[in-house]
Amino acid sequence: MAIERTLSIIKPDATKRNLTGKINAKFEEAGLRIVAQKRIQLTMDQAGKFYEVHKERPFYGELCEFMASEPVVVQVLEGEGAIAKNREVMGATNPAEADEGTIRKEYALSVGENSVHGSDAPETAAEEISFFFSGLEIVG
């Protein structure tokens, strides 16, 4: 399996509850390495641009408001099959359907406040990483 990079966001519901370290420990225990990380406060415009792919969906406005409501931690994870591995560690979007031991099963409050975001494909990962990080900020 190839070494990949993927974007991870620790969302406002998790940063508000001070879960960053616990969530990062799950990534690291799964063999993913954090090669870039920063805590930021998204504006509504930034959240809207990042989630533009969902613009026509009914939850778009609520999603943008949520993502701009508190600080988030954006990070780049690296490892073998990092995209799939990250999604496995995160668990299903709906925490009620997530496997035991996953981030969303343990920490998500709801489908909307599900603690983490992860890229879903290599093309998306590259696009999402470049939204938040310059090449100089990624140290692997």
Side-chain angles (χ1 to χ4, degrees), residues 43-134:
T43 65
M44 279 294 290
D45 285 346
Q46 289 168 325
K49 186 161 177 56
F50 183 76
Y51 285 105
E52 196 167 39
V53 66
H54 299 302
K55 194 170 190 163
E56 301 305 319
R57 297 182 131 176
F59 60 81
Y60 174 75
E62 186 178 333
L63 173 62
C64 293
E65 285 178 24
F66 168 62
M67 291 301 290
S69 69
E70 297 277 340
V72 297
V73 174
V74 293
Q75 52 196 10
V76 179
L77 305 177
E78 182 180 82
E80 287 192 29
I83 295 165
K85 177 61 72 178
N86 180 35
R87 297 184 73 73
E88 176 185 318
V89 173
M90 288 190 309
T93 302
N94 182 345
E97 298 171 2
D99 290 339
E100 291 298 326
T102 62
I103 292 168
R104 288 176 172 153
K105 186 66 164 187
E106 291 187 23
Y107 303 122
L109 299 174
S110 66
V111 174
E113 293 181 309
N114 62 20
S115 300
V116 285
H117 164 90
S119 305
D120 61 3
E123 303 77 27
T124 311
E127 188 176 304
E128 290 181 345
I129 289 168
S130 69
F131 186 89
F132 291 107
F133 294 96
S134 74

Side-chain angles (χ1 to χ4, degrees), residues 9-71:
I9 301 176
I10 301 176
K11 293 181 177 181
D13 63 292
T15 62
K16 185 176 185 176
R17 293 178 291 143
N18 205 28
L19 296 174
T20 301
K22 289 178 180 180
I23 291 171
N24 282 340
K26 287 200 172 280
F27 293 137
E28 292 178 335
E29 288 165 9
L32 295 168
R33 186 170 175 209
I34 300 165
V35 295
Q37 181 182 67
K38 55 188 166 186
R39 184 180 179 97
I40 61 172
Q41 176 78 50
L42 291 171
T43 65
M44 279 294 290
D45 285 346
Q46 289 168 325
K49 186 161 177 56
F50 183 76
Y51 285 105
E52 196 167 39
V53 66
H54 299 302
K55 194 170 190 163
E56 301 305 319
R57 297 182 131 176
F59 60 81
Y60 174 75
E62 186 178 333
L63 173 62
C64 293
E65 285 178 24
F66 168 62
M67 291 301 290
S69 69
E70 297 277 340

